[in-house]
């Protein structure tokens, strides 16, 4: 079995090498490399943007859904050179954006919500670094796009959630593009 190779402007890199950058480097540099081989000097992790919160009018970058109208973990990316973050109504969308081969914008910071502290049905605040978070894949709890990657700050909280709702605990680098597949998310959205 061969490791898939992804083509980017600077060279040929395997998914394993790109994910390795994300783990080995500070968030800004690691995700900038992961986000399409952009100039890794553009993201200054020492001055990474602080997480922002959303309000009733904040919409998702990918589909325009209002974040406040849906349950489950939310996410945000702060792109280098961009004053405001972009928000995602689901962590699956965050990974879809970060793992997309066509992603070329340098990422300064990425955050997800700690669902060990946030209310699942009305999540607000409790932002944590996306790279250091733990994720539960395959649980019975759904987010705005259906099956989601529940995010947690601690191993204990992630394991407790998995024991109660099913699924398995994963680290950031273990999330694959297949886990971030957005096709079919609308099948689970009963509010559309």
């Amino acid at each position: 079995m061969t490791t898939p190779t992804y083509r980017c402007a600077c060279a040929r890199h395997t998914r394993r090498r790109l994910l390795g950058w994300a783990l080995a480097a500070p968030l800004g540099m690691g995700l900038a490399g992961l986000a399409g081989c952009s100039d890794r000097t553009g993201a200054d992790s020492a001055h990474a943007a602080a997480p922002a919160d959303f309000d009733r009018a904040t919409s998702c970058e990918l589909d325009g859904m209002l974040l406040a109208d849906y349950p489950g973990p939310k996410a945000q990316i702060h792109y280098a050179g961009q004053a405001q973050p972009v928000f995602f109504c689901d962590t699956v969308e965050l990974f879809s954006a970060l793992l997309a081969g066509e992603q070329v914008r340098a990422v300064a910071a990425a955050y997800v919500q700690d669902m060990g502290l946030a209310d699942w049905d009305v999540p607000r605040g409790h932002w944590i670094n996306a790279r250091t978070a733990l994720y539960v894949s395959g649980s019975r709890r759904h987010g705005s796009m259906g099956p989601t990657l529940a995010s947690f700050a601690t191993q204990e909280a992630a394991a407790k959630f998995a024991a109660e709702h099913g699924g398995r605990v994963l680290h950031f680098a273990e999330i694959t593009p297949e886990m971030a597949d957005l096709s079919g998310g609308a099948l689970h959205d009963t509010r559309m």
Side-chain angles (χ1 to χ4, degrees):
M1 176 182 221
T2 61
T3 303
T5 303
Y6 296 87
R7 189 91 165 136
C8 64
C10 59
R12 290 176 62 91
H13 295 288
T14 64
R15 179 170 49 94
R16 182 171 291 144
R17 179 176 291 165
L18 292 172
L19 289 174
W21 284 343
L23 285 177
L27 179 65
M29 291 174 60
L31 289 179
L34 176 65
C37 303
S38 55
D39 179 359
R40 293 194 294 156
T41 62
D44 183 358
S45 63
H47 296 95
D53 223 339
F54 59 89
D55 59 28
R56 294 274 324 144
T58 305
S59 63
C60 177
E61 170 80 354
L62 295 183
D63 55 28
M65 293 168 55
L66 297 176
L67 274 67
D69 289 349
Y70 296 91
K74 311 299 181 236
Q76 61 185 279
I77 294 177
H78 295 256
Y79 289 108
Q82 186 173 320
Q84 298 298 315
V86 296
F87 285 93
F88 300 93
C89 57
D90 198 291
T91 53
V92 172
E93 292 177 324
L94 169 79
F95 280 98
S96 178
L98 291 176
L99 298 176
E102 64 275 5
Q103 171 60 279
V104 294
R105 296 187 282 179
V107 174
Y111 298 99
V112 293
Q113 290 179 300
D114 179 1
M115 298 312 290
L117 298 175
D119 179 326
W120 189 275
D121 295 319
V122 187
R124 295 291 189 276
H126 305 290
W127 295 102
I128 56 175
N129 181 320
R131 186 176 63 88
T132 59
L134 294 147
Y135 300 89
V136 176
S137 175
S139 82
R140 292 180 294 279
R141 297 293 312 255
H142 283 195
S144 66
M145 300 306 292
T148 191
L149 296 163
S151 47
F152 297 91
T154 67
Q155 178 72 34
E156 294 79 18
K160 179 181 178 203
F161 180 87
E164 292 175 10
H165 304 287
R168 64 185 180 121
V169 178
L170 301 169
H171 292 272
F172 178 91
E174 296 175 293
I175 307 297
T176 66
E178 295 77 26
M179 293 175 188
D181 182 12
L182 296 176
S183 63
L187 297 175
H188 302 285
D189 185 0
T190 59
R191 299 179 190 196
M192 290 179 84

